[in-house]
């Protein structure tokens, strides 16, 4: 016979899953975010787009990110609909630093760890009614372990790329408010999610499906689906095409070119299979888990319609919001197991399965994105001293006049506060005159876009870029201090001699 858990011990266990474990996870997420930024592992695309837009909005200029014009062929405000920048401007804008936005990315991931067990508690309370058993603690503990290794959570956090990642905990909070029938709080959460990007709108449709399919809240669900659909159509078919036309950058929605329903089905099916595999096929256990999986249909449909290779590769920015419903599916799968096995059996099975899954995920590619593994790896980074010198170098850069074009290597870009004419250094786009330019590259920062467009830190691409800039007719190397190489346009010696001298003194450090 199973003995009852003493009240004081049970209370301590609840505190563990409600507060202590989420707090530890949040610390790792925030710590990992900061260390990634300090190690120059976060690239301009797309972190630099958003932080530059926030800086420009805060300074009252516009909603632009200048380097999107070079690589995307259109202004960024016509590329994505991101009203969230206005809400983030007072938080991030005053700081000439990428760290506030980076900390927000870690905080967003950590916030989900706090919301998730509370959501599990509500799910159990609704299922058990007056026969509360305390089993929610077991479910919450297992789900928290899986959450800490869950690819749709970890990859978006690790990339620090999109606003959708910032509002993912807000979507999870919206689910909780939906269960508690707190309508004004639900409306506020949905409003914030819609402000992130047009791609966030389908998540509100997912939420509406969840209300209809699992909570039988048909009116609320239909309202959410209607608002989501109307917002998405208005933004993609009216607002963004109008903004592109206004900017003289073409017509139509920017991502219409990637629509391809008939092709790439080998990649699309692999994507679906991988998504289930990263969820350990748990969304297939039980009716409610399957219904939660069905709620991701708007995003699964986007994959079916898309010919965008980055989506098929599971780069992260397309899994963050639907990941909320996959986590809910995992919760219901655990509850399904509890309802069909004897307590003495599932109390052994669920913890053992959770630990085994965590070990397997840690040993695979998913482990690379785990925040604890990230912190451990970056604390022992072999280039830590070079990174410190590089941070000092960038921190002592002079203020650039608005007339100067600054081209920064992608991994350096987020650290260069210059929201005027600032571009990603890309040798494929810099064959023309650069007389009014400053170019900054480094062998210790991310090289995305620098030569061949690959991610990570590539010494080969750095050397290729350095050879290109050394031979460029418009540029001269100020000085190479070992961690950064700075070039200036030759005409700047005549037009801005003080700036060139300041860069020479800085580069000599």
């Amino acid at each position: 016979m199973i003995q009852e858990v003493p009240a004081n011990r049970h209370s301590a266990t609840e505190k563990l899953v409600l507060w202590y474990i989420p707090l530890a996870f949040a610390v790792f997420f925030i710590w990992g975010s900061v260390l990634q930024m300090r190690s120059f592992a976060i690239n301009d695309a797309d972190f630099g787009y958003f932080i530059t837009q926030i800086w420009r909005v805060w300074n009252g200029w516009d909603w632009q990110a200048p380097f999107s014009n070079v690589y995307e062929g259109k202004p960024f405000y016509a590329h994505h609909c991101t009203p969230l920048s206005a809400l983030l401007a007072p938080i991030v804008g005053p700081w000439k630093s990428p760290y506030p936005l980076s900390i927000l990315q870690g905080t967003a991931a950590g916030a989900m760890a706090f919301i998730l067990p509370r959501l599990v508690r509500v799910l159990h309370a609704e299922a058990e009614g007056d026969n509360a058993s305390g089993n929610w603690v077991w479910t919450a503990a297992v789900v928290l372990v899986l959450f800490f290794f869950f690819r749709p959570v970890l990859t978006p956090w690790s990339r620090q790329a999109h606003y959708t990642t910032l509002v993912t905990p807000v979507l999870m909070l919206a689910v909780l408010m939906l269960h508690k029938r707190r309508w004004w709080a639900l409306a506020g959460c949905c409003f914030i999610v819609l402000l992130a990007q047009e791609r966030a709108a389908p998540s509100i449709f997912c939420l509406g499906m969840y209300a209809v399919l699992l909570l039988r809240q048909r009116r609320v669900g239909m309202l959410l689906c209607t608002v989501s659909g109307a917002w998405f159509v208005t933004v993609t078919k009216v607002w963004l095409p109008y903004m592109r036309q206004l900017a003289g950058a073409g017509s139509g929605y920017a991502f219409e070119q990637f629509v391809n329903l008939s092709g790439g089905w080998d990649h699309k099916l692999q994507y679906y299979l991988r998504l289930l595999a990263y969820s350990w096929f748990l969304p297939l256990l039980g009716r409610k888990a399957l219904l939660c999986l069905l709620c991701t249909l708007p995003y699964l449909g986007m994959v079916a319609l898309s010919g965008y290779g980055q989506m098929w590769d599971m780069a992260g920015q397309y899994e963050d919001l639907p990941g909320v419903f996959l986590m809910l599916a995992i919760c219901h799968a655990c509850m399904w197991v509890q309802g069909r096995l004897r307590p003495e059996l599932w109390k052994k099975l669920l913890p053992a399965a959770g630990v085994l899954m965590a070990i397997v995920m840690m040993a695979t590619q998913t482990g690379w994105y785990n925040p604890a593994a990230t912190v451990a790896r970056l604390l022992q980074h072999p280039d830590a001293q070079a990174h410190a010198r590089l941070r000092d170098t960038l921190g002592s850069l002079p203020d650039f006049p608005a007339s100067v074009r600054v081209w920064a290597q992608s991994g350096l870009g987020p650290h260069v506060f210059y929201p005027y004419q600032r571009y990603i250094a890309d040798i494929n786009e810099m064959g023309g005159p650069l007389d009014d330019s400053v170019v900054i590259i480094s062998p210790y920062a991310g090289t995305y876009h620098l030569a061949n467009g690959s991610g990570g830190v590539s010494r080969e691409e750095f050397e290729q870029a350095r050879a290109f800039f050394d031979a460029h007719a418009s540029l001269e190397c100020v000085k190479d201090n070992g961690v950064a190489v700075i070039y200036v346009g030759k005409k700047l010696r005549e037009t801005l001699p003080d700036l060139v001298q300041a860069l020479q003194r800085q580069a000599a450090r």
Side-chain angles (χ1 to χ4, degrees), residues 196-258:
Q197 270 174 256
E198 67 279 4
R199 192 176 62 249
S203 69
I204 304 303
F205 198 98
C206 298
L207 185 62
M209 293 180 65
Y210 183 86
V212 173
L213 296 176
L214 283 101
L215 302 182
R216 297 294 185 264
Q217 298 177 9
R218 291 180 176 84
R219 291 183 179 179
V220 176
M222 292 302 295
L223 177 61
L224 291 172
C225 290
T226 301
V227 170
S228 168
W231 178 264
F232 184 77
V233 170
T234 300
V235 169
T236 59
K237 296 298 183 180
V238 180
W239 177 250
L240 288 177
Y242 171 74
M243 295 306 293
R244 286 189 70 192
Q245 188 174 8
L246 186 68
S251 61
Y253 178 46
F255 290 92
E256 286 180 352
Q257 60 180 310
F258 296 111

Side-chain angles (χ1 to χ4, degrees), residues 123 210 213-214 276 279-297 300 322-337 340:
L123 294 177
Y210 183 86
L213 296 176
L214 283 101
L276 280 175
S279 305
W280 289 90
F281 297 95
L282 293 176
L284 304 180
L285 286 183
R287 184 181 67 88
K288 289 189 175 181
L290 192 58
L291 288 176
C292 288
L293 176 63
L294 188 61
C295 290
T296 65
L297 190 60
L300 300 181
V324 170
F325 298 95
L326 294 176
M327 289 301 304
L328 285 166
I330 293 173
C331 294
H332 281 291
C334 291
M335 294 170 64
W336 183 86
V337 170
R340 278 155 181 77

Side-chain angles (χ1 to χ4, degrees), residues 1 98 184 288 342 383 464 496:
M1 184 175 179
W184 285 111
K288 289 189 175 181
R342 297 189 308 274
D383 296 328
Q464 184 179 350
L496 294 169

